[in-house]
Amino acid sequence: MNLAHPGYRVNMPTSAELRRMRRIHRWMEIILPGVIRRIINGRAPQPGWLPRRQLTVVSGDVDLDADIGAVWLVWRPRAAKAETHTAFMELCGEKWQYTGGGSSSHGDLPAGRLVAAQPGQVGMIELGGGAGVLSRAYRLRHPHPHSIGTVPWIGCNELQVAAEVDHLLLGERRIEVPGNSSLIVVWKSPSTGRGGIRPLIVAVGRDGSELSRIGPHDSMDSYTWARLSDQ
């Protein structure tokens, strides 16, 4: 039975797009379990055997209490056809499994670490791309949920953090800021039917003081809002 409405065109992926999707999925299954183990063990996320010119792991984040992880990668960095990938991992039983993600053909490696209020770094915390999926681990444990709203939402956000920031508080979880100040954060929340609810993110300085914050529904941090209000 044809469910397409008259006047609407259903866009099906081309054979080239399907090959690209299969290639990405295959690479993610090979690379990501090792990346997650490196992050858990406190090591740099980039595997030593993986050439950065081919695939660079920009950042990775794991929440062991929630059994979730997210990895930010760039395929063929600095090339004309560079692609950015966001990948989700979940602990399904005793194994970390790739459970989805997103891709963009317009991304590349982020800029270096900059001071706030300078060109290229307006705020203390700047939101980049984001993605989300319904929890596959939950669905494996509950194959017939009462409703789709009971399945937790796994979300992530790419962040660009100013040089003044020592670490972030994502809800109650502390996240160290890497040297390049570009990082991905992963979170879990109840599903709202259209996604999830990002936790409060607080930027903390080296002296332990709060520098800025960005709420679950905010697009700009409090530092940027304050500067705009003063103008």
Side-chain angles (χ1 to χ4, degrees):
M1 180 173 61
N2 185 4
L3 298 179
H5 296 284
Y8 285 83
R9 180 179 177 182
V10 178
N11 293 321
M12 301 297 291
T14 65
S15 57
E17 289 171 335
L18 287 173
R19 287 195 300 271
R20 174 179 168 275
M21 292 165 60
R22 286 194 291 267
R23 182 200 67 191
I24 292 172
H25 189 87
R26 184 169 63 251
W27 270 98
M28 295 301 102
E29 289 185 323
I30 294 171
I31 295 169
L32 292 180
V35 171
I36 292 295
R37 286 194 297 270
R38 293 178 67 88
I39 296 169
I40 293 173
N41 293 329
R43 302 170 65 191
Q46 180 83 24
W49 59 267
L50 182 62
R52 290 180 180 271
R53 66 181 181 277
Q54 182 177 10
L55 186 65
T56 295
V57 181
V58 178
S59 174
D61 183 33
V62 176
D63 185 345
L64 290 175
D65 291 332
D67 294 334
I68 56 174
V71 181
W72 174 3
L73 314 100
V74 177
W75 182 271
R76 295 188 299 269
R78 308 301 189 197
K81 294 184 178 181
E83 298 179 12
T84 297
H85 302 286
T86 300
F88 289 101
M89 298 289 286
E90 287 190 81
L91 189 62
C92 300
E94 297 181 354
K95 293 181 60 178
W96 286 94
Q97 294 186 18
Y98 170 55
T99 56
S103 301
S104 171
S105 59
H106 304 291
D108 204 340
L109 295 178
R113 193 162 194 179
L114 303 171
V115 175
Q118 299 298 314
Q121 183 69 48
V122 176
M124 290 289 177
I125 313 167
E126 293 192 14
L127 286 175
V133 294
L134 289 170
S135 173
R136 181 182 177 189
Y138 181 93
R139 286 178 288 167
L140 289 174
R141 294 193 302 268
H142 306 86
H144 304 291
H146 295 298
S147 71
I148 197 69
T150 63
V151 182
W153 183 262
I154 312 299
C156 72
N157 289 95
E158 298 166 5
L159 305 178
Q160 182 75 21
V161 180
E164 297 93 325
V165 181
D166 178 72
H167 63 273
L168 300 175
L169 298 177
L170 183 71
E172 298 181 355
R173 190 161 63 94
R174 173 173 171 147
I175 299 176
E176 302 297 330
V177 176
N180 63 5
S181 79
S182 299
L183 66 157
I184 193 168
V185 293
V186 67
W187 43 270
K188 180 186 285 188
S189 85
S191 175
T192 65
R194 294 183 299 174
I197 302 174
R198 186 184 68 234
L200 171 69
I201 304 174
V202 177
V204 182
R206 293 172 183 83
D207 61 356
S209 63
E210 179 179 322
L211 301 176
S212 186
R213 60 174 51 201
I214 186 165
H217 306 291
D218 294 336
S219 57
M220 291 190 297
D221 68 334
S222 58
Y223 173 88
T224 305
W225 279 116
R227 283 181 55 83
L228 291 174
S229 299
D230 291 340
Q231 294 179 1

